[in-house]
Amino acid sequence: MERTAIIFLGPPGAGKGTQAARLSQELGFKKLSTGDILRDHVARMTPLGQAVGPIMERGDLVPDDLILALIREELSGKVVFDGFPRTQAQAEALDRLLAEAGIRLLGVVLVEVPEEELVRRMLKRAGLEGRPDDNEETIRRRLEVYRTQTAPLVAYYERKGLLRRVDGLGTPEEVYARIRGALGV
Ligand code: ADP
């Protein structure tokens, strides 16, 4: 089968991770979540984890070169990206990587959720999962970082005709059905 990639884009708390996990499982794709990979490094206290831990706790972005090294290592011919790319430089680097590897970008799913609901979900998750970046101050910072550094990618992928907007409100089941419909898979 053709080598293909799908990107999940959207603010923190939109539910990208949950949806990306299910889609990748059902399509037999590899899920590449930069947040999960980084959290694993932090938990294992690797040199990378020690470098990125404080950055993540503040809600800032990890430098592009570190992220791109991870992606290069893990790239596969059928892949769902969750939480990557997050900057213009990452998006442009990904275009080059995909072109070199002969992988076609099938679509970019933008999961849209109003800001009050994002904050509510992340505060609830804080109680359940205890992620150190799910406190009110860091949540505000992550939303600001999304608006300034990641949201411009919406226009970038729109211009390429790849953007698929999906309403992220409703049950996970409803959102999942919308995503499959929007991607036509
Ligand atoms: P969320 O989408 O809820 O913010 P993630 O698990 O995707 O959660 O990301 C958590 C943190 O990991 C980010 O705030 C950032 O510090 C770091 N991170 C994850 N992906 C990237 C990326 N592509 N570029 C830079 N930093 C990243």
Side-chain angles (χ1 to χ4, degrees):
M1 195 215 186
E2 197 197 1
R3 294 161 71 79
T4 7
I6 295 168
I7 293 174
F8 276 81
L9 188 65
K16 300 182 298 291
T18 307
Q19 299 294 340
R22 177 155 176 204
L23 189 71
S24 55
Q25 199 174 9
E26 291 189 12
L27 297 182
F29 280 37
K30 172 171 178 174
K31 183 180 86 138
L32 244 173
S33 164
T34 42
D36 287 349
I37 296 170
L38 294 170
R39 272 187 291 278
D40 178 59
H41 277 272
V42 172
R44 289 187 290 121
M45 294 189 290
T46 66
L48 175 65
Q50 293 181 30
V52 303
I55 301 175
M56 294 173 73
E57 272 192 45
R58 284 200 306 273
D60 284 327
L61 293 184
V62 169
D64 290 332
D65 54 339
L66 297 182
I67 299 291
L68 287 165
L70 290 178
I71 293 290
R72 268 191 214 100
E73 214 170 278
E74 303 271 342
L75 190 63
S76 125
K78 290 166 113 195
V79 61
V80 171
F81 293 105
D82 163 33
F84 171 87
R86 253 177 159 93
T87 64
Q88 182 74 29
Q90 289 180 16
E92 288 170 11
L94 178 62
D95 282 345
R96 289 191 293 272
L97 280 177
L98 293 179
E100 280 163 20
I103 299 171
R104 183 172 74 94
L105 189 50
L106 191 68
V108 178
V109 179
L110 174 65
V111 184
E112 298 184 294
V113 173
E115 188 156 325
E116 322 81 73
E117 172 67 9
L118 296 172
V119 175
R120 208 183 59 75
R121 288 184 186 179
M122 283 187 273
L123 289 174
K124 184 173 164 208
R125 183 170 70 186
L128 298 172
E129 294 174 17
R131 256 175 64 168
D133 59 349
D134 279 345
N135 61 76
E136 186 131 21
E137 191 191 339
T138 305
I139 288 170
R140 297 282 167 209
R141 175 71 191 144
R142 283 155 64 205
L143 287 169
E144 185 194 326
V145 166
Y146 176 77
R147 275 194 299 270
T148 55
Q149 305 198 55
T150 308
L153 299 186
V154 172
Y156 180 78
Y157 288 117
E158 207 154 35
R159 280 196 299 276
K160 292 176 177 281
L162 289 169
L163 195 76
R164 308 284 179 262
R165 289 178 189 270
V166 170
D167 177 2
L169 289 178
T171 64
E173 190 62 43
E174 286 164 346
V175 177
Y176 184 71
R178 288 177 201 139
I179 290 170
R180 293 207 68 152
L183 287 170
V185 294

